[in-house]
Amino acid sequence: MTEYSVIDDPIEFQTACRLLAAGIGPVAVDVERASGFRYSQRAYLVQVFRRGAGVFLFDPPAIGDFAPLQEAIGDVEWVLHAASQDLPSLRELELQPATIFDTELAARLLGHERVGLAAVVEDTLGITLKKEHSAADWSTRPLPVAWLDYAALDVLHLIDVRDAIAAELEEQNKIEFAAQEFAATLAQPPRPPREDPWRRLSGLHQVKGARGLAVARSLWEAREEFAQQQDTSPGRLVPDRSLVAAVLANPQSKQALAGVQAFNGRASRSQLDRWWNAIVRGREAPAVPRERGHSDALPPARAWVDRNPEADARLKLARPVVEAHAEELGMPTENLLKPETLRRLAWAPPALTTDAVAAALSDLGARPWQVEQTAQKIVDAFVEAGQPTDQPDAPES
């Protein structure tokens, strides 16, 4: 087996970029992060393969400026697996593809039962990849040789997979579907900051009252600040359950907080002043949070029959129609049309014409191919849902 090494030297980096620029065809690109270990989602390893050039493993913290790599490969197709996961980390390095081919997304459109990288490689090429290092701490230095082999294999076969998948797309007449999906993935803007992110604390539902929520918010903010300073995943410092336990225990002193058995974690005692001060700030905060956060989420579908019976009827007729068409096309329903898109359309539909429904679908983010495949079927189902149900004939007197 080829032994791979990490490129962290500027001269070696420049040489690798020249080789990649002289390579042939698209480039396979992958990123390894340290999710669950570090606070940031930055890339700690970037893997690149191109035919005629070979596999290269780059060390982002050591290299810093990736402009030479962008110049070398920026104008060719980048092949990624689950591109939406890697593009933010690549963009942080100012690495931006002009076009992409997403083998994971394409496998979904083709109806593959398994869409993980190892499964897709095995299904298309008959090659078995080991995935034992997928959850490793890639900020480790030096990286073990076994990890480097694993990282290299993530891109070594990706171009061959791309070619096999592209042939399948051609056979199933889904090339245009895939092209639109790839373009949408590439154009997807960064997610806006979540409102009240502290409300995602696991177990927060146990906390009652606005003042308790203020303490939970304060503890979450203190942990975020410390995690960012340490570049450590927040849950590795103090788990969510421990923050919630501290709120529920309602300690009246720092010593009492230290005595809360469920308040644990590697920074629970070493940063005791930090956590106690956060509790005090939460208790004294002049503005307490709402007991429920703002949400534009629709009611659960099971409640529609009472809250919006017309919408309930529309959804109950349209959903199986869309599901059946997805099955005809050989793809998961959510790839034909997101269930949330159909729910929103059913809840507050436009005029029941093909053009109006098509425009509404587009406004909700559906791609042109999805609109073409579903708009008329949804109109037909909605119209049928609005028809009066046949009543049994009244008995003769």
Side-chain angles (χ1 to χ4, degrees):
M1 178 181 287
T2 303
E3 285 194 8
Y4 298 96
S5 59
V6 176
I7 294 175
D8 55 10
D9 175 79
I11 296 176
E12 289 183 27
F13 178 58
Q14 292 285 350
T15 300
C17 291
R18 285 194 294 272
L19 291 170
L20 286 165
I24 302 166
V27 294
V29 181
D30 191 33
V31 169
E32 303 295 349
R33 293 172 290 274
S35 302
F37 296 92
R38 297 290 182 174
Y39 181 84
S40 70
Q41 290 300 305
R42 70 182 297 186
Y44 282 95
L45 194 71
V46 175
Q47 308 101 281
V48 182
F49 168 74
R50 194 176 191 189
R51 289 171 178 157
V55 173
F56 298 92
L57 309 179
F58 300 113
D59 184 347
I63 291 171
D65 182 7
F66 272 81
L69 181 59
Q70 176 68 28
E71 185 177 351
I73 64 174
D75 60 347
V76 301
E77 178 187 89
W78 294 17
V79 183
L80 303 104
H81 192 82
S84 61
Q85 297 180 20
D86 289 343
L87 286 172
S89 299
L90 290 167
R91 285 170 176 151
E92 191 175 321
L93 299 173
E94 298 187 4
L95 292 172
Q96 174 67 38
T99 58
I100 63 169
F101 189 106
D102 186 335
T103 51
E104 190 256 6
L105 183 49
R108 291 183 184 278
L109 295 173
L110 290 167
H112 285 211
E113 291 187 7
R114 306 182 303 162
V115 296
L117 177 58
V120 172
V121 171
E122 184 174 357
D123 291 345
T124 55
L125 306 180
I127 296 172
T128 301
L129 299 182
K130 295 181 179 180
K131 300 299 292 179
E132 67 267 31
H133 303 303
S134 59
D137 179 4
W138 288 90
S139 66
T140 301
R141 293 296 183 272
L143 287 165
V145 171
W147 295 17
L148 301 181
D149 292 339
Y150 159 89
L153 289 173
D154 274 359
V155 291
L156 181 61
H157 302 295
L158 206 51
I159 304 299
D160 290 339
V161 170
R162 177 241 181 265
D163 291 347
I165 291 277
E168 283 189 68
L169 290 169
E170 192 76 57
E171 290 171 8
Q172 294 191 24
N173 296 316
K174 293 177 179 176
I175 284 288
E176 181 57 28
F177 296 179
Q180 291 182 27
E181 291 300 308
F182 300 161
T185 299
L186 193 55
Q188 184 71 29
R191 289 183 180 179
R194 183 183 293 270
E195 184 181 5
D196 292 345
W198 58 273
R199 290 187 185 271
R200 298 187 71 193
L201 271 171
S202 178
L204 187 66
H205 64 279
Q206 301 172 71
V207 177
K208 308 301 180 185
R211 184 55 64 186
L213 291 175
V215 173
R217 177 182 62 186
S218 184
L219 279 167
W220 182 90
E221 290 171 345
R223 187 183 65 173
E224 284 293 296
E225 180 184 34
F226 187 50
Q228 194 165 11
Q229 291 171 3
Q230 300 296 309
D231 191 16
T232 300
S233 176
R236 294 181 70 83
L237 297 172
V238 181
D240 283 8
R241 64 179 182 277
S242 293
L243 294 187
V244 171
V247 179
L248 296 176
N250 193 26
Q252 298 305 303
S253 67
K254 183 168 61 175
Q255 290 71 27
L257 174 61
V260 176
Q261 187 174 1
F263 184 64
N264 49 38
R266 71 191 213 191
S268 61
R269 299 303 183 272
S270 62
Q271 296 292 315
L272 194 61
D273 285 346
R274 181 185 300 273
W275 314 128
W276 175 247
N277 291 337
I279 289 174
V280 172
R281 283 196 302 273
R283 288 172 176 169
E284 297 176 351
V288 296
R290 301 177 303 275
E291 293 202 35
R292 291 188 178 182
H294 282 307
S295 174
D296 63 351
L298 296 174
R302 62 181 178 273
W304 286 25
V305 67
D306 295 320
R307 298 184 62 175
N308 190 340
E310 293 83 5
D312 182 64
R314 287 189 289 265
L315 184 62
K316 283 177 176 173
L317 277 179
R319 185 162 50 194
V321 169
V322 173
E323 290 171 350
H325 191 49
E327 188 172 352
E328 290 173 10
L329 292 171
M331 67 177 65
T333 302
E334 60 268 22
N335 287 104
L336 174 59
L337 191 68
K338 291 180 180 178
E340 177 69 7
T341 299
L342 183 59
R343 284 194 293 267
R344 290 196 174 276
L345 203 61
W347 185 263
L352 296 185
T353 67
T354 305
D355 287 346
V357 168
L361 285 169
S362 296
D363 290 344
L364 289 167
R367 261 66 81 187
W369 76 269
Q370 295 173 317
V371 173
E372 182 180 355
Q373 292 289 327
T374 62
Q376 187 60 55
K377 294 181 182 298
I378 291 171
V379 170
D380 293 343
F382 283 7
V383 169
E384 182 181 350
Q387 300 300 314
T389 56
D390 292 334
Q391 298 295 327
D393 294 334
E396 294 183 5
S397 57

